[in-house]
Structure formats: C-alpha cells, structure tokens
Amino acid sequence: MAKRSTTFVCQSCGAVTAKWAGRCESCGEWNSIVEEQTGGGIGGGPSRGSTTRGRVIELVGLEGDAKEPLRIQSKVAELDRVTGGGFVRGSALLVGGDPGIGKSTLLIQAAAALADLGHKTVYISGEEAIGQVRLRAERLGLAKSPVALAAETSVEDILATLQADKPPALVILDSVQTLWTDKVDSPPGTVTQVRASAQAMVRYAKKTGSTLVLVGHVTKDGQIAGPRVVEHMVDAVLYFEGDGAHQYRILRSVKNRFGATDEIGVFEMTGAGLQQVANPSALFLGERSTNSPGAAVFAGLEGSRPLLIEIQALVAPSPLGTPRRAVIGWDSARLSMILAVLEARCGIRFSQHDVYLNVAGGLRINEPGADLAVAAALVSSLSGLALPANCVYFGEVSLSGAIRPVAQAQSRLKEAEKLGFDKAFCPQGNLKDKALTDLTANGLEELGDFIAKISAQAGRTESDGS
C-alpha cells in the first residue's frame, strides 16, 4: 500500500513546509498554508527498500536532423499568430485570464473551427454543465459543429474516456483548478491536486500526440493561480487580457517553446462572440480627438506586429501638497522617471500638478519605446497646445535626456504611413533604418531638442490659426 504523509503547502506559491505557520516565508502571504495528504505515486519518491534501477539512455550530439513540429491550424488567424502558426501536436498550452473575460468563448470557437476542418476535438468542462455549454454554442452559431462535449472533473475518468477511442487532435479542459485525481487526498483546487492533475494530462498529450489546452484561473494580481510549476510543465502560456469597460480583448503569449513570445492577437467582443481584428491600429485610433491637448500617437510594437496607440495625458494644478500620479496601461515607475527627466534636463516643472496617464483602448504597454510619446503628451497637456494630428512618436528616453534607438523602426514607420500619417519623431539612430517612403522622419538625439521642436511647431500652428 502506498505510503501517506502529511505536508503543509502554501496555496499561493506552492512552497512546502514541515509545519503550519500563519505566514508563508517564501511569498509572504498570510493564512495561505494548508495541510495536505500526499501519496507515494509518481513523483512521490521511492519506497523504503526499493532496489529499482533506471535504464541507460542514449546521449547524442547537437548536430542532426531537426524537423519542424507538425501543426494544426485553426483558421482563426489571431489565435494561430499567437501560438506561432497553429497548435503543435503533442503540446500543452495554459490559457489564463480574468473571470468572464471570454476564455471559454474563445476556446469553444477554436474547437468548433478545428472540428469543422475535420479534426476530432474534445471539450471537457469542469465548471459548467453540458446544457450551459450548449447554450453558449447556440448563441455563437456553433451548435452544428461536431465537437465532442463532456462535463467531468475526475482525471481518471477523463483519461479512460480519451483512451477508449482514437486520440483526438485537440483536448480542452476548462479549468485545471476543478480537476482532481485519486493519487492524492487533497481537495480540488489545491496546489497538490492541480500539479498532479496537470502532470497526468500533459503526460497523456505527449504520449498520444494530442494538443492539450488547459484553462487556468488568475489571482487578484493577474497571475495564473496555483503553483508556478504548472507553467513550467506546459509548452506555451497565453494570457487573455481585457477591460470590462472595453470590448477589446488581447491574447498575449508570454511563453512559447514552438514560437515567438510577446505576440498578441486582438479580438472584439460582440453579441456573436469574439471577432478577429485584422487592423488593430485603426481600431485603437478610431475615436481619437485630433485637436485636443495631451494626446500623442505612439508607434509601438507587440511581438512582430506594429501597433499605433494613442497616449492620453492630463496635467492639472494640484490642490494637494503631494500631487497625484495615476497611470492606466503603462508602468507607473516609468512615468515617474519621465517626469524627473523633464524637470531635471528640460526645466519643465510638474511638482505642483497632478498627472494622469492613460493608454487608449484598454491596452497595456510594456515597451520602453513609448517614452517619447509619453513625454510629448505630458508637455502638450501642460502647455495646452495640441500636437499635430498627422505625427507619430517613438523612442526610449535615458536618464541623461538622450533618446535611444528602438527595434524595428522600419515596421513602425510603414504602419504609420499605411494609416495616413506623414510625420514621425524618432531617435536619430533609427534614421538609417528608414525605408523609402513619403513619411518625413525627424531624428532626435536629446529630449530637450524635441521639446523645443514641438513647442515651436505648436507656436506656428497657433499663430496660423489666429
């Protein structure tokens, strides 16, 4: 009989301790340590007196034939872009996102698309009944798709069902936190159960060549709940992001063993489900005001996709001793750095003003190339002078006030020209990358020179208007 032992596991980070404590020493969370029973199954360690020896494996060199992995394209272009060109056979993916963001909607649409192409797909729901999934499929117009559907949480029952027939091309489990296995005594959702259940399902995918998609809950910090070891067991980790106040949804790849990371797919939530957005730049700029101070268009890059995004800034006199600094969609520490550089290197004072910064469309930017656009929006709002509507900005600002080059400037400029922009402010070091286009690119070396240029340009515009 398998030996049972008692351990204390943190439900936040997965750390194991010998005794209970009120605060986890690894992650600092309070009241997150729970007593769990673990068995001596796979990964439980050898039994006492065991003399089993491992087999000798063959070691090979780095040279040899390396074949491209076999992929299954879902024909959902935005999803195929994020996965690197389609689902890889025998791979495991983990999809996370806030409750109600549209994870189940996206996956049922992908399952239906693959089933319509002739691939066997299985959708197993651990949170919803079969009737609820059928109602969603009917609302999306997918009721006729040949998707095999079940509602089950037992890993042993799921594996027995899958092994009783030909291995499917795609298996979707929604969600991994609801799965449980007989090999451990912990309740569903605990660290031990999530780890053991995910390991069993990933082992099945690797053995049979089926593509496995696991849905994961997220914590209040936006991270996938449960032990981080689950993210290490899978081949790709995708985050489905969005704001409830906006209809746009971003599918972002943060880990992909078979493709590029930091790729994004853009979707729009409609009454008929998630619709792909072929031109997200036009979507994010669709409702901007061209004559309002404090707005600058940033020519950004998400993975291999160039995006034009509006940066909005509001600088207002503060009645408080300590002015407010509020940021949505960007790094607040980066905003503080830009404000400090503007004050120290350019002589522009923000110490008596509240500063509010927003990235339009609910998108979150992690790229330092947005520094120049943020600085332009801040100066425009403080001075009350609108920036030219036909101009884009990109460049990284250093602490010395220098403007540093960014990657793939040519792609950014081509995207700007495609959407009707004819001017750009960019780092001087990126001018050598400029393609032969009609767009006028102004190279910059110092932030002070840039502030002087946009002030002079705004002054000319004001005098022409009067």
Side-chain angles (χ1 to χ4, degrees), residues 285 288 295-299 308-311 373 387 389 391-394 421:
L285 297 177
R288 73 186 186 105
V297 178
F298 165 54
L308 298 190
I309 309 159
E310 184 182 19
I311 305 293
L387 296 171
C391 187
V392 297
Y393 308 85
F394 62 89
F421 292 86

Side-chain angles (χ1 to χ4, degrees), residues 8 24 34 46 69 82 114 119 202 241 251 265 271 297 352 393 415 435:
F8 296 87
C24 176
V34 176
V82 178
L114 283 175
H119 301 287
V202 170
E241 305 171 352
L251 183 64
V297 178
Q352 301 299 322
Y393 308 85
E415 180 73 9

Side-chain angles (χ1 to χ4, degrees), residues 161-377:
T161 303
L162 296 176
Q163 293 169 355
D165 200 355
K166 179 182 177 181
L170 178 67
V171 179
I172 299 175
L173 297 179
D174 186 6
S175 65
V176 67
Q177 275 84 8
T178 61
L179 300 180
W180 61 276
T181 175
D182 290 335
K183 295 185 181 299
V184 294
D185 293 337
S186 303
T190 58
V191 169
T192 305
Q193 279 286 7
V194 169
R195 181 172 55 236
S197 301
Q199 187 180 34
M201 296 308 305
V202 170
R203 192 183 305 114
Y204 168 81
K206 299 294 183 183
K207 182 178 179 180
T208 60
S210 300
T211 300
L212 174 68
V213 178
L214 301 172
V215 178
H217 297 167
V218 297
T219 63
K220 59 183 179 180
D221 297 328
Q223 302 295 323
I224 294 180
R228 300 303 295 266
V229 69
V230 175
E231 298 187 26
H232 300 311
M233 285 193 295
V234 298
D235 299 301
V237 179
L238 310 180
Y239 279 89
F240 206 41
E241 305 171 352
D243 188 354
H246 298 85
Q247 68 270 31
Y248 314 130
R249 301 290 187 267
I250 309 296
L251 183 64
R252 187 184 303 273
S253 170
V254 296
K255 172 189 175 181
N256 194 348
R257 290 174 179 164
F258 304 104
T261 58
D262 293 331
E263 281 285 0
I264 68 166
V266 184
F267 298 87
E268 183 179 5
M269 179 64 77
T270 65
L274 290 166
Q275 302 294 329
Q276 302 179 69
V277 178
N279 190 356
S281 296
L283 182 69
F284 291 133
L285 297 177
E287 301 176 358
R288 73 186 186 105
S289 176
T290 58
N291 57 357
S292 174
V297 178
F298 165 54
L301 197 70
E302 290 287 346
S304 61
R305 160 178 278 172
L307 285 179
L308 298 190
I309 309 159
E310 184 182 19
I311 305 293
Q312 302 170 347
L314 176 61
V315 180
S318 176
L320 305 175
T322 303
R324 293 188 182 94
R325 302 287 187 262
V327 187
I328 299 177
W330 206 49
D331 186 8
S332 58
R334 196 104 192 151
L335 173 63
S336 300
M337 187 200 78
I338 296 300
L339 292 174
V341 173
L342 286 172
E343 290 203 14
R345 306 299 180 187
C346 304
I348 303 177
R349 304 299 178 186
F350 293 91
S351 56
Q352 301 299 322
H353 294 79
D354 292 332
V355 176
Y356 303 90
L357 190 73
N358 178 50
V359 178
L363 188 66
R364 178 164 184 84
I365 300 175
N366 300 317
E367 187 186 0
D371 293 349
L372 195 62
V374 170

Side-chain angles (χ1 to χ4, degrees), residues 30-50:
W30 287 90
N31 298 323
S32 62
I33 297 180
V34 176
E35 180 182 0
E36 295 185 3
Q37 299 287 337
T38 59
I42 297 178
S47 60
R48 182 175 299 177
S50 174

